[in-house]
Amino acid sequence: MIRVSLTRRATDCPRLPRDVLVLGVVAFFVMVGFGVVVPVLPVYVATFGVGYVEVGAVVSAFALLRFVTSPFCGRLIDLVGERVLLAVGIGIVALSSGLVGIAHSYVDVLLLRGAGGIGSAMFTVSAMTLLLGSTVPTQRGRAVGFYQGGFLIGGMAGPAIGGVLAAISLTAPFFFYAGTLAIAGLVGIVLLRPRSREVGGPARVDAVPFRAVLRDTRFRVAVLANFANGWTSLGVRSALIPVLVVDVLRGEPAWTGIAFAIAAVAQTLALGPAGKFVDTVGRRPAILGAYAVAALTILGISFSPNMVVLTVLLAVYGVAAAFMGTAPAAAVGDATAGAKGGRPVAVFSMASDLGAIVGPLVAGWLVDTASFPLAFGLAALFLAAASLFAIRMPRESIVSSP
């Protein structure tokens, strides 16, 4: 079996680069605003006198345009650099979100949310590319964990703020979102270090050719893992568990929010240990273990007899999700040699988006035609496949350096 060496100092792990810390702050402000808008958006769209299909189309438009735009982000990074593309992407989302608050028709909202998806893809791909390119292998797990921590903390704070703003006006959250995005963009453009040859220079060339990255088992495992994560975490988990709570467990909708909040806290607390584990023990064992645990947990959720069991399983899933979010991204950084891998990161991001788009549709169809266990079981199958495929990844050995 091939062994990949991750060199680190025998002393404490070095501090994370400044760009990583800045990106964590940017992620926080982005997600605070997003968390404010998401609970209000369906209610606001319904005020235009449309049905549930049209409401769902607005949500899907954002995800669909993210997916369609991602393939072009690698080339845009070559042209203008991560820092500029990040600021432009955030600016597009900020402007479109502010305009949603003064939209005159349903079509305006639909088009503006689609435009927001374009900006979101630019931000997501450029931020992750910059994050992976700014770190050495023994920092990537911690770096991704810190970055995701910004998202999680912001996501927990957002809905609480959104509830207060929605009591004032249904349009207030959109203006607040535009404001937090403006802060995020300003922080990024001012504090992120400009890269050499960022603008006006020759096009960047990845340290590892893109074709070689596609053949790298680490990258393939990461893409499959991100697809499974998008299908399960962003799709099935968010789409079906609220329905499971109300229709099967006969619980109140508020119970879902409490259970999700507990799971989010568990995931946030696990991010630090997960990042350290990924950097010191390795990406391979993290993916093997976390995705196996997640597969068993998500299947067990469909058989939960009560809310207590469901909440405990969600918390366990949250801990596994901390590893699922850090290890695959770190593996992408390893496969691209951590240098300006715009195209690989775009493919990696698209895998999650595809899972999040298709997952809820297939899962909803399975619930309608079969059962909840079958819908959750398919998600568990994808997670288990990612875990088993990780066996093919090269073993990592940690070598201390003086």
Side-chain angles (χ1 to χ4, degrees), residues 75-400:
R75 181 60 58 88
L76 290 173
I77 288 174
D78 289 339
L79 293 175
V80 302
E82 300 97 329
R83 177 173 171 264
V84 172
L85 190 64
L86 182 146
V88 171
I90 290 178
I92 291 173
V93 184
L95 180 61
S96 62
S97 298
L99 291 176
V100 165
I102 58 174
H104 294 97
S105 69
Y106 167 78
V107 174
D108 290 343
V109 177
L110 181 66
L111 294 176
L112 288 168
R113 285 300 290 171
I118 294 173
S120 177
M122 293 179 177
F123 160 71
T124 301
V125 175
S126 58
M128 183 57 71
T129 303
L130 182 59
L131 184 79
L132 296 178
S134 301
T135 53
V136 297
T138 52
Q139 291 178 322
R140 286 189 191 125
R142 290 192 300 134
V144 175
F146 181 83
Y147 177 65
Q148 291 189 339
F151 274 113
L152 283 170
I153 295 172
M156 286 187 284
I161 300 172
V164 175
L165 292 174
I168 300 172
S169 167
L170 281 179
T171 59
F174 298 98
F175 301 126
F176 180 87
Y177 187 22
T180 60
L181 287 168
I183 295 173
L186 184 63
V187 168
I189 203 70
V190 171
L191 296 182
L192 289 174
R193 291 189 177 94
R195 298 268 158 172
S196 60
R197 296 186 295 153
E198 185 168 73
V199 180
R204 298 178 181 192
V205 179
D206 289 341
V208 178
F210 184 53
R211 289 183 180 179
V213 173
L214 292 177
R215 293 193 297 267
D216 193 312
T217 303
R218 294 171 296 181
F219 181 73
R220 292 182 179 183
V221 170
V223 170
L224 174 59
N226 216 30
F227 172 79
N229 197 10
W231 183 292
T232 308
S233 297
L234 303 178
V236 174
R237 175 180 174 272
S238 299
L240 291 189
I241 289 179
V243 181
L244 180 72
V245 169
V246 174
D247 291 350
V248 177
L249 299 182
R250 305 300 179 185
E252 297 295 329
W255 294 1
T256 304
I258 295 171
F260 277 0
I262 293 172
V265 171
Q267 184 175 352
T268 303
L269 293 176
L271 279 173
K276 186 175 181 180
F277 182 96
V278 169
D279 284 340
T280 55
V281 179
R283 290 64 156 133
R284 181 177 182 269
I287 296 175
L288 272 167
Y291 278 80
V293 170
L296 293 173
T297 305
I298 203 70
L299 181 61
I301 285 174
S302 64
F303 295 101
S304 297
N306 53 56
M307 278 303 301
V308 174
V309 174
L310 176 69
T311 303
V312 171
L313 289 174
L314 276 175
V316 174
Y317 186 90
V319 174
F323 291 82
M324 292 157 60
T326 52
V332 171
D334 297 342
T336 60
K340 310 170 184 67
R343 294 174 69 189
V345 170
V347 173
F348 177 69
S349 176
M350 288 174 64
S352 176
D353 288 338
L354 180 62
I357 293 169
V358 179
L361 299 176
V362 175
W365 176 76
L366 287 173
V367 170
D368 286 338
T369 59
S371 65
F372 276 99
L374 186 59
F376 281 85
L378 181 59
L381 183 64
F382 284 127
L383 293 170
S387 176
L388 292 173
F389 193 26
I391 295 174
R392 299 185 59 189
M393 292 177 71
R395 293 182 181 273
E396 300 135 327
S397 59
I398 307 301
V399 181
S400 298

Side-chain angles (χ1 to χ4, degrees), residues 38-92:
V38 168
V40 178
L41 181 62
V43 180
Y44 175 67
V45 175
T47 63
F48 290 95
V50 297
Y52 292 118
V53 173
E54 288 81 4
V55 172
V58 171
V59 178
S60 297
F62 186 90
L64 180 61
L65 267 293
R66 262 181 59 95
F67 181 77
V68 171
T69 304
S70 291
F72 303 99
C73 291
R75 181 60 58 88
L76 290 173
I77 288 174
D78 289 339
L79 293 175
V80 302
E82 300 97 329
R83 177 173 171 264
V84 172
L85 190 64
L86 182 146
V88 171
I90 290 178
I92 291 173

